[in-house]
Amino acid sequence: MTLRRSLRRSLALVGLTAALFAPMVSAGPAFAACGSAEPRGTNDLGIVIERAAGRVKVVENTANATLATVDGLGDLSHASAVISRDGRYAFVFGRDGGLTKVDLLERCIENRVMQAGNSIGGAISEDGRLVAVANYEPGGVKVFDAGTLDLVADIPAIYGPDGARSKVVGLEDAPGNRFAFSLYDGGEIWLADLSDPKNPQVRKYPNIGKQPYDALVSPDGRFYIAGLFGEDGLAVLDLWDPDAGVKRVMDGYGRGEQPLPVFKMPHLEGWGFAGNLVFLPAIGRHEVLVVDSTTWTETARIPVAGQPVFVVARPDGRQVWVNFAVPDYDKLQVIDVPARKVTATLTPGKGVLHLEFTPRGERVWVSVRDTDRVKVYSTGTLAEVGEIAADKPSGIFFTARAGRIGF
Amino acid sequence: MTLRRSLRRSLALVGLTAALFAPMVSAGPAFAACGSAEPRGTNDLGIVIERAAGRVKVVENTANATLATVDGLGDLSHASAVISRDGRYAFVFGRDGGLTKVDLLERCIENRVMQAGNSIGGAISEDGRLVAVANYEPGGVKVFDAGTLDLVADIPAIYGPDGARSKVVGLEDAPGNRFAFSLYDGGEIWLADLSDPKNPQVRKYPNIGKQPYDALVSPDGRFYIAGLFGEDGLAVLDLWDPDAGVKRVMDGYGRGEQPLPVFKMPHLEGWGFAGNLVFLPAIGRHEVLVVDSTTWTETARIPVAGQPVFVVARPDGRQVWVNFAVPDYDKLQVIDVPARKVTATLTPGKGVLHLEFTPRGERVWVSVRDTDRVKVYSTGTLAEVGEIAADKPSGIFFTARAGRIGF
């Protein structure tokens, strides 16, 4: 137990608030004292973001239950989270630049810093020691000690002959305590090696395409793949062979020469890898593309109910689940991977924002914003098997992410 | 907290032993009372089997540290373990038929039953509710409630016209709360659906080959693959299409027509899946076979330092690590997957029995029996980065297994 936590707990016992002991860099609403907790396993825990209220629900996915609500996380629109190596803490990246460390056992805010003015997600290093955040304003990446939230490295995204500063997107962890990210304005991919956190080694790949807007790392940690907003195609960096540079693939992938209206850009992090196949959301079209990831060639198109947003493979790769942009945002579809077609359509309610599979994939949790519910389905029977009340729920993050690359 | 545990804890406080409260079916050494524990995350915990002493070390893989030693687990030669869904408990399968539930937080034996005379491993169901054990004597599978260790199903392995009873091997969990296992004497594979635990539905596949001796489930949960001791070849059941029956593949895989001496049969559970490739230990030969799992054809043979026992892929599939039977049991070799060749040879010491990667694969733990040490290596630099003292260590089981299929 740290001294600060020990102090906090003692004070909580006599009814004082721990807000007095918030670190100097903190801002936003004061947060409540951490209390005590019954020992329990953390491998079946997680959080659900309540985007409008600035809160998270601490949940467990064995009994499909809510354990607690933790308040005071600031602006959680488009918030995401990563999990500490031991499964105890969630690091929540708020849109307002807040980085909040939530203790899932004591069910409280362990620490919170305002680290930028506007941020868009983050990642945790392979060894669990570093949390990195991608910032729009000021554009760059800041890296924090996962234990203390002390700043350990600051990587401003300065590019080009004029030293302009770029928004940073698509920040992902990569094997070897590296982080990969993209410069939206600069059209570059950077690969930062944080093996020595005080002395990051940054390798820069310029001219990778116009306006990379999001990215992902393949589940095996090999490929960093950035989607482009300013032109068609994808930029791929082979992390096993960084000397080979960034390659352009899928030149037909994008909005096309005569773009359709796009109601919501698909999320790349949701891509469905199933063996050597990747299931991609078509942009603006009512289709999911099936791509052979060994050659990056399209092998099939599967018609779906709307413009896909998240296209996520069940952990065993047998099913791919898809949600949609407006006006089809009340639906979920299930693609059978061997059959390469939609085999079921569910209608959980309006505002299906996110979905997360349990670690082995037997159930899926679905955020339904407008009904203030997270619905839980069996992926075998497709029956609804549970429900959690949550205020405008969005992202769902289970602790099994701690043991996976690129989450 | 259960009533029994509550009682136990109260008694522990006043110095009584909890052995009085062991369930009626228990046997073997009495076990110590569970005490209290500081709350902590469980996603970085695990156990190391001390085979000769009948003990396990509770370990954590962030700081490469031992947290506790738990005694009284009986005969742990060839012991294995599975992890509860919440990461808190390890279920240890002893050779003597003992099934022991170890609490990794309170660092004690939560429960222990002698469930058979001679057993060879087990599995935990997808939903975490059921623990199944494969028994030699009496031959069959027993299924227990993971919470209470109460027997919920007994599946005797009776086969053939005479109603003979077979040893059971290669018990693995499969998606859909199913268990797959093989009848060594019967030459059959059985697939048991435990969706309704009181009423298991067993599908039997006879004549799959002579003496299946071990098996594994592919990481995607799709294929159940049994090795044959009595003839060459492998038996494969596609769990996504169980109506298609068991197929024979790799007819040249085995001891061959003019068998070499085999010092130790390879473990199948250790097969290295890396994308669509599988790295298999050749039997009796100083080779690792590279097989395309989409066609089950051999694509390469990699010369190695001895008869391979475990051939295990790092979680990202970039490396495959190999240990060996006597007389080469002091070595470990690292195969670079893209290059398809051995790129490093380590000599941890005599009796390299098992290896386990950390969840994201940045380190590997190696049991070195004859030096009473578990050595920890960085898989990036191959440097030794830690060491744990352990009495004749064998199997290492981290809690990340809870979220994975077929572990």
Side-chain angles (χ1 to χ4, degrees):
Chain A
M1 191 184 305
T2 62
L3 177 62
R4 209 175 96 248
R5 170 171 287 185
S6 176
L7 268 172
R8 256 203 217 152
R9 194 176 288 170
S10 307
L11 289 165
L13 291 174
V14 295
L16 295 177
T17 163
L20 294 167
F21 291 85
M24 296 304 289
V25 286
S26 284
F31 46 89
C34 283
S36 62
E38 180 86 352
R40 60 155 293 152
T42 53
N43 292 57
D44 60 349
L45 298 184
I47 61 166
V48 174
I49 304 285
E50 296 186 311
R51 53 182 284 144
R55 295 189 299 240
V56 299
K57 290 265 190 261
V58 179
V59 296
E60 67 106 317
N61 57 41
T62 298
N64 309 323
T66 301
L67 301 179
T69 303
V70 178
D71 201 353
L73 281 82
D75 179 0
L76 296 185
S77 56
H78 210 283
S80 65
V82 297
I83 306 295
S84 68
R85 201 173 187 291
D86 63 0
R88 176 170 186 165
Y89 302 98
F91 299 92
V92 182
F93 309 104
R95 193 57 194 259
D96 56 3
L99 167 60
T100 310
K101 184 177 179 182
V102 177
D103 183 336
L104 305 184
L105 287 176
E106 299 199 13
R107 302 162 191 178
C108 62
I109 292 178
E110 152 82 19
N111 204 346
R112 175 169 161 80
V113 294
M114 292 303 294
Q115 57 82 39
N118 188 337
S119 66
I120 193 64
I124 187 164
S125 63
E126 187 181 63
D127 66 5
R129 291 184 191 170
L130 303 172
V131 174
V133 193
N135 291 320
Y136 279 6
E137 185 51 49
V141 169
K142 286 188 178 169
V143 183
F144 298 87
D145 180 296
T148 62
L149 298 192
D150 289 339
L151 183 71
V152 293
D154 188 356
I155 306 171
I158 293 168
Y159 70 96
D162 304 328
R165 197 147 175 173
S166 175
K167 293 189 187 80
V168 169
V169 299
L171 172 62
E172 303 287 340
D173 63 280
N177 286 316
R178 293 177 299 173
F179 293 105
F181 50 92
S182 297
L183 277 57
Y184 177 83
D185 309 294
E188 302 193 354
I189 290 173
W190 289 13
L191 183 59
D193 185 336
L194 273 288
S195 300
D196 176 4
K198 300 275 184 197
N199 187 24
Q201 300 296 312
V202 181
R203 183 161 185 176
K204 300 174 183 179
Y205 300 90
N207 304 314
I208 59 98
K210 289 183 192 156
Q211 296 171 322
Y213 72 97
D214 197 5
L216 83 165
V217 164
S218 57
D220 61 5
R222 176 163 189 175
F223 296 109
Y224 177 82
I225 306 158
L228 301 173
F229 189 75
E231 58 187 293
D232 288 352
L234 298 168
V236 177
L237 175 61
D238 183 347
L239 297 166
W240 293 5
D241 187 13
D243 291 344
V246 173
K247 290 178 183 151
R248 285 293 292 277
V249 299
M250 296 281 295
D251 281 338
Y253 183 72
R255 290 177 298 167
E257 291 183 7
Q258 297 183 325
L260 297 171
V262 177
F263 298 115
K264 182 172 181 174
M265 284 301 281
H267 279 246
L268 298 194
E269 68 190 67
W271 282 7
F273 280 80
N276 280 355
L277 296 179
V278 195
F279 291 75
L280 306 187
I283 296 176
R285 290 177 173 76
H286 293 197
E287 290 171 343
V288 167
L289 314 184
V290 186
V291 172
D292 180 335
S293 72
T294 59
T295 58
W296 289 102
T297 53
E298 187 182 310
T299 63
R301 292 184 170 228
I302 300 171
V304 291
Q307 292 187 7
V309 176
F310 281 103
V311 175
V312 192
R314 196 170 74 172
D316 69 352
R318 185 175 184 178
Q319 296 174 345
V320 168
W321 288 57
V322 188
N323 74 337
F324 303 99
V326 284
D328 301 296
Y329 69 150
D330 60 332
K331 299 184 185 70
L332 262 178
Q333 288 196 310
V334 183
I335 293 172
D336 181 81
V337 168
R340 308 265 200 283
K341 65 178 184 188
V342 171
T343 51
T345 302
L346 307 176
T347 51
K350 284 188 181 168
V352 173
L353 292 193
H354 194 227
L355 56 157
E356 175 94 338
F357 290 93
T358 53
R360 292 208 227 172
E362 78 280 11
R363 293 195 292 277
V364 62
W365 286 42
V366 179
S367 289
V368 191
R369 185 191 55 202
D370 295 2
T371 63
D372 295 318
R373 290 286 182 280
V374 173
K375 293 197 170 189
V376 183
Y377 294 92
S378 159
T379 61
T381 65
L382 305 184
E384 195 181 320
V385 295
E387 192 178 77
I388 303 278
D391 186 276
K392 307 282 172 276
S394 57
I396 307 168
F397 304 91
F398 292 148
T399 59
R401 288 172 174 250
R404 293 179 180 165
I405 298 161
F407 273 90
Chain B
M1 194 185 302
T2 62
L3 177 61
R4 209 174 97 249
R5 170 171 286 186
S6 175
L7 267 173
R8 254 203 219 154
R9 194 176 287 170
S10 306
L11 289 165
L13 291 173
V14 295
L16 295 179
T17 165
L20 296 167
F21 292 85
M24 297 304 290
V25 286
S26 283
F31 45 89
C34 284
S36 61
E38 181 86 354
R40 60 155 293 150
T42 54
N43 291 57
D44 59 349
L45 298 184
I47 61 166
V48 174
I49 304 284
E50 296 186 312
R51 54 183 285 146
R55 295 188 299 240
V56 299
K57 290 263 190 264
V58 178
V59 295
E60 68 106 317
N61 57 41
T62 298
N64 310 323
T66 301
L67 302 179
T69 303
V70 178
D71 201 353
L73 281 81
D75 180 0
L76 295 186
S77 55
H78 209 282
S80 65
V82 297
I83 306 294
S84 68
R85 200 174 187 289
D86 65 359
R88 177 170 185 164
Y89 302 99
F91 299 92
V92 181
F93 308 104
R95 193 57 193 261
D96 56 3
L99 167 60
T100 309
K101 184 177 180 182
V102 176
D103 184 336
L104 305 185
L105 287 176
E106 300 200 11
R107 302 161 190 178
C108 62
I109 292 177
E110 153 80 20
N111 203 347
R112 174 169 161 82
V113 295
M114 292 302 294
Q115 56 82 42
N118 189 337
S119 66
I120 193 65
I124 187 164
S125 63
E126 186 181 63
D127 66 5
R129 291 183 191 171
L130 302 172
V131 173
V133 193
N135 291 321
Y136 279 5
E137 184 51 48
V141 169
K142 286 187 178 171
V143 184
F144 297 87
D145 182 297
T148 62
L149 296 193
D150 290 338
L151 183 71
V152 294
D154 189 355
I155 306 172
I158 294 168
Y159 70 97
D162 305 327
R165 197 149 177 172
S166 175
K167 294 189 187 79
V168 169
V169 298
L171 172 62
E172 302 287 340
D173 63 281
N177 285 317
R178 293 178 298 174
F179 293 105
F181 50 92
S182 296
L183 278 57
Y184 176 82
D185 309 295
E188 302 193 354
I189 289 173
W190 289 13
L191 184 59
D193 185 336
L194 274 287
S195 300
D196 176 5
K198 299 276 184 196
N199 188 23
Q201 301 296 311
V202 181
R203 184 162 184 175
K204 301 174 183 178
Y205 299 89
N207 304 315
I208 58 99
K210 288 182 192 157
Q211 296 172 321
Y213 71 96
D214 196 5
L216 83 164
V217 165
S218 57
D220 62 3
R222 177 164 188 174
F223 296 108
Y224 177 82
I225 305 159
L228 301 173
F229 188 76
E231 58 188 293
D232 287 352
L234 299 168
V236 177
L237 175 60
D238 183 348
L239 297 166
W240 294 5
D241 187 14
D243 291 345
V246 173
K247 290 180 183 148
R248 285 291 292 276
V249 299
M250 296 281 295
D251 281 340
Y253 183 72
R255 290 177 298 166
E257 292 183 6
Q258 296 184 324
L260 297 171
V262 177
F263 298 114
K264 182 171 181 175
M265 285 300 282
H267 278 247
L268 298 194
E269 68 190 65
W271 282 8
F273 281 81
N276 280 354
L277 296 179
V278 195
F279 291 75
L280 307 187
I283 296 176
R285 290 177 173 75
H286 293 197
E287 291 171 341
V288 167
L289 313 184
V290 185
V291 172
D292 180 336
S293 71
T294 61
T295 58
W296 289 102
T297 52
E298 186 183 311
T299 63
R301 291 185 169 226
I302 300 170
V304 292
Q307 292 187 7
V309 176
F310 281 105
V311 176
V312 192
R314 198 171 71 172
D316 70 352
R318 186 174 184 178
Q319 295 174 346
V320 168
W321 287 57
V322 188
N323 73 337
F324 303 98
V326 283
D328 301 296
Y329 68 149
D330 60 331
K331 297 183 185 71
L332 262 178
Q333 288 195 310
V334 183
I335 294 172
D336 181 79
V337 168
R340 310 264 197 284
K341 66 178 185 188
V342 171
T343 52
T345 301
L346 307 176
T347 50
K350 284 189 183 170
V352 173
L353 292 192
H354 194 227
L355 56 158
E356 175 94 337
F357 290 95
T358 53
R360 294 208 224 171
E362 78 279 11
R363 293 194 292 276
V364 63
W365 286 42
V366 179
S367 290
V368 191
R369 185 190 57 202
D370 295 1
T371 63
D372 294 317
R373 289 285 183 280
V374 173
K375 293 197 171 191
V376 183
Y377 294 92
S378 159
T379 62
T381 64
L382 305 184
E384 195 180 322
V385 294
E387 191 178 76
I388 302 279
D391 186 276
K392 306 281 173 276
S394 57
I396 307 168
F397 304 91
F398 291 149
T399 60
R401 290 173 173 248
R404 292 179 180 166
I405 299 163
F407 274 90

